[in-house]
Each structure stands twice: as C-alpha cells, then as structure tokens.
Amino acid sequence: MTTVIETCRIPPPQGAAAELFLPLSFFDMMWLHFNTTRRLIFYNHPCSEAEFFNTIVPNLKHSLSLTLKHYLLVASNLLYPLDTDASKPVFRYISGDSVSLSIAASALDFEELVANHARESDQFYDLLPRMLKMAEEENYQIVPLISLQVTLFPARGICVGLSNHHSLSDGRSILGFMKAWAMINKSGDDVVFVSRNGDSLPVFERPICKDSSRIDGIYWKAIKQRPFKPASTHPLPTNRVRASFILRQSHIKTLKNLISSVRPNIDRVSTFVVAAAYVWTTLAKSLGPAEDEEEVLIIGADARGRQNALFNPPVPENYFGNCLGGGVARAEHRKLVAEDGFFAAAEAIVDEMKAKIYDEDEFLKSPENLLTEMPKYRNMRALSMTGSPKLDFTEADFGWGEAAKVEVLSLDGGYSMSLSNSGDGDLVVGMSLTKDEMEVFASMFATGLCM
C-alpha cells in the first residue's frame, strides 16, 4: 500500500560547524531506555507525482540541509559507552554525519487517515520512517537520533513522518526544528528564518547548576544498570485503534463553569485542567475497576523560562533538548468513577500543579527523587500525556498551508493521550486503545458532554 521510493542521507551544508560534542544531562538520560517519539503530520495538498518528485522533493532536501546548519544536534549521533563504568553517553556531530530521509508514495485512503473516528493503528506505521540500526565504533555504540519520511498521496495530500530518540529532545524542541524546516522550505532559503529568529536561534549547551554533576551522576548510576537496547519505532502489531475527540470551546467553558459553581474552592482552572480531568475520569469509567485502589495522571511541564528551584537563571526559552519537570496527580479509583469524579480529578490535578509546578521553590526541586518515586506507580493504572495546545505541529507550514491532522503514534502503548489545537479554537484529544476499550470510551466521552 505504501512504497518507499528512495532513502537518502541529508547532511548540513558546507560551511556548517565541523563538530559538536555534548554530554547528556539528567533531563536527557531519563529517556535513554524509552522507545522513539513518533509523529505524523498530514497536509491537504493535491499534487501530481511529477510535481512531487521533480519539485517538492528536491526543495525538501535542500531546505532540510539548510535547517540542519542551525539544528546541528539533530544530525548528531548518540554515543553510548560499552564500558558504562568508564564513560558516560554523549551526543556527537562530526563532519559527514547526516539525517535519514525517506521518500514514499502511498495508496492508503488519505481521508480515512485524517478522520477522527476509530481507525486501525497499524496502517499508520507505513508512513513512519524506521530508525537506522545502531553501529559500534571503538568503545561506543553509535545510535542515530532521528529519521524522517515524506509520503505522497497522489492528487490528495502529503504526510511528513518523524521518529526521534527521546534523549535528543522533548516535543517543544522537535516542534521548533520542524517549524524551522517548514519555514525554510516555504521561503526557499534560511534568510527569513534567521531574520525572525536571530536572537533566539537554538542553543545546545546543556543547562548547568551547582548540583548538575551530582544529579547527572545519580541518574547515570541508576540508568546504566539496565541493558541498552535499540529504541523501537514500529511496535507491530499494536492491537489498537486510534481516534480523535473534540472538546469545543463551548464544552470547555461549560466544564470550567461547572467547577466554579460546584467546587468554588478549586482555583486556577485552566483549559488543560478541565481537559485532563474530563479525559482521566472518562477513561477510568470506561476501563472498569483498577487493580490498585489509586490511579495516577502524569503531568509534564516545560521548564524553559520558568523560575525553579534548580536553575538560576532559568533555562532559556530557545534551549534545544529535554527540559521537562512536572508532577503526578493521584486519586482513588472509586472517586474518579463516582458521579462527581470530574471534580475530584480536577482538584487532584490543580493541587499537584500548585505544589510541584506553580511553586517556584518546589518546581525541579530534588529531581533525583523521580528515580525512587516513579517505580511506586508501576502497579497503578497510569494515564500519561503528550503534547500541549501550546505545541501546535499544525503550524509547520511547508508552503502547503497548515496541517490537516497530526497523529502521535507514541500513544500506542500503555494509556496516554495527546492534546493539540484544532485550528479553530477547539481542543483535539488523541487516544489509542483496544477496539473494545475505544467503543466504551467514545460513548462515555460523548454522553458526558450532553449537559
């Protein structure tokens, strides 16, 4: 159904920096054993095969090379030591390193792929690039960090797929890279990109504080105990279906008003709070009894530009890498599935955010505690989150307009949800569940909004 026509390697242009060596911070190390982050961005852009292969593809290759000049770390490799007692992992770019780009054409149903209803998850992986295999060099395993694929749906649209090792960066940094590539592709060179971002081009130096060495050492001591394996890009079969659910502005306003009237003691009720609380309680009810009496919601928070207990001054807004803090909201299963479960969930989320994120003296305080805290939730039903309405991949305009749809394939494992904008002010919630779970969840999601 999908045929890869070409796989090539795109290096930064001549004149780019010759090399880059960076140690991993604890922010990066914590993701070393995770699978890749996987996204697909769909564009409504009818074009012929001749236009695609003769014009669009050469432009994409050229603009990608120019983008890598400013995002050199994206073209680097992770060097993971064979002797973990003697060395620590580093990112390394040297002249000749490049990014894998695949060009493909697909006969899959474009309209079906960008729809919101439940669709088989496995079919989406045709549009996702595979990561290149690890190699060995002297005392290190050499791990490619990102792969890209551009797929044509003749006379219908284009999909840009990307897989990246999470140790490379979080979603905000990858979005910055994708928007830069799109802007450079649309304009034909990097002049506009540089003029608009001259004071905020990405910085790669790892953030350092007085405790950095100690914390990095603690993380490395714990993480190196596990064997290092290639990150999976195609966990097939997924045995999942994926669907998108719309929380309209009117829904969000109604949910906020409900909290204000029923639980006026709950303050700082944001769009994120009501969306997360609504999805969390809907999922708890649709999945049935939990093995443990408590459930958890894992909340991520971008630490860039935010006052915190670890870095003074804060990590700059244009930092490229991983820079996430957060918290874990906990609630008893019986409270989540009760009639007033939505309010209990909202209260638990707000309380955790006040304690661990909004409080500057607590945010990023003792990050090494995560190593002992996270295993506590291993046997609890956990809902994690990816993306944010503030991280809008639809804005990456390659010259084909804003994207029609973004699918986060990383949801295909455990219980997780994605949050993104719809383009008209509504909120899109992405879910990946088994077919039976999805049917119950979809019914409950719609019923709960009939108020």
Side-chain angles (χ1 to χ4, degrees), residues 138-160:
E138 297 179 354
N139 299 319
Y140 291 92
Q141 291 174 295
I142 311 300
V143 186
L145 292 169
I146 192 168
S147 290
L148 301 162
Q149 178 172 318
V150 180
T151 304
L152 170 69
F153 295 81
R156 187 59 195 89
I158 294 172
C159 176
V160 179

Side-chain angles (χ1 to χ4, degrees), residues 118-356:
R119 296 140 298 149
E120 294 290 337
S121 290
D122 288 7
Q123 64 182 322
F124 289 87
Y125 286 83
D126 273 4
L127 312 175
L128 188 74
R130 293 186 179 274
M131 294 290 286
L132 298 180
K133 293 182 178 179
M134 295 193 307
E136 285 192 14
E137 176 186 292
E138 297 179 354
N139 299 319
Y140 291 92
Q141 291 174 295
I142 311 300
V143 186
L145 292 169
I146 192 168
S147 290
L148 301 162
Q149 178 172 318
V150 180
T151 304
L152 170 69
F153 295 81
R156 187 59 195 89
I158 294 172
C159 176
V160 179
L162 61 152
S163 298
N164 68 275
H165 203 288
H166 206 321
S167 66
L168 171 65
S169 79
D170 54 29
R172 177 167 175 171
S173 288
I174 286 295
L175 173 59
F177 165 71
M178 292 300 295
K179 290 176 71 173
W181 181 20
M183 182 183 296
I184 292 171
N185 187 77
K186 184 176 182 179
S187 63
D189 56 40
D190 62 348
V191 174
V192 174
F193 169 71
V194 172
S195 66
R196 292 184 183 178
N197 300 276
D199 295 330
S200 58
L201 291 172
V203 295
F204 304 115
E205 289 298 326
R206 305 294 94 174
I208 295 176
C209 67
K210 62 181 181 180
D211 277 346
S212 289
S213 179
R214 180 183 66 85
I215 297 171
D216 290 349
I218 291 172
Y219 267 82
W220 179 235
K221 182 179 179 180
I223 288 167
K224 70 181 183 180
Q225 303 303 319
R226 293 176 56 187
F228 185 71
K229 299 178 180 179
S232 172
T233 57
H234 289 63
L236 298 172
T238 62
N239 300 314
R240 295 287 189 105
V241 296
R242 55 193 312 106
S244 299
F245 301 89
I246 309 299
L247 278 174
R248 306 205 178 279
Q249 293 183 62
S250 57
H251 296 146
I252 294 167
K253 183 178 180 180
T254 299
L255 292 172
K256 287 181 178 180
N257 290 339
L258 270 175
I259 293 176
S260 298
S261 60
V262 178
R263 296 284 183 87
N265 60 300
I266 305 178
D267 59 354
R268 306 190 78 160
V269 179
S270 64
T271 296
F272 167 79
V273 169
V274 296
Y278 187 73
V279 174
W280 191 15
T281 52
T282 302
L283 184 66
K285 293 172 183 176
S286 64
L287 294 180
E291 292 184 9
D292 193 281
E293 62 178 18
E294 277 196 319
E295 299 195 32
V296 298
L297 174 72
I298 301 172
I299 306 168
D302 187 358
R304 296 172 183 82
R306 189 194 294 266
Q307 296 293 330
N308 61 81
L310 194 60
F311 299 103
N312 186 21
V315 178
E317 297 274 3
N318 55 334
Y319 172 70
F320 185 99
N322 289 287
C323 193
L324 296 173
V328 179
R330 302 173 61 158
E332 293 181 37
H333 174 75
R334 64 180 181 84
K335 291 185 177 179
L336 290 178
V337 300
E339 187 175 348
D340 61 350
F342 169 69
F343 306 108
E347 187 168 22
I349 294 169
V350 169
D351 287 349
E352 182 67 5
M353 293 179 72
K354 283 182 180 179
K356 296 292 181 65

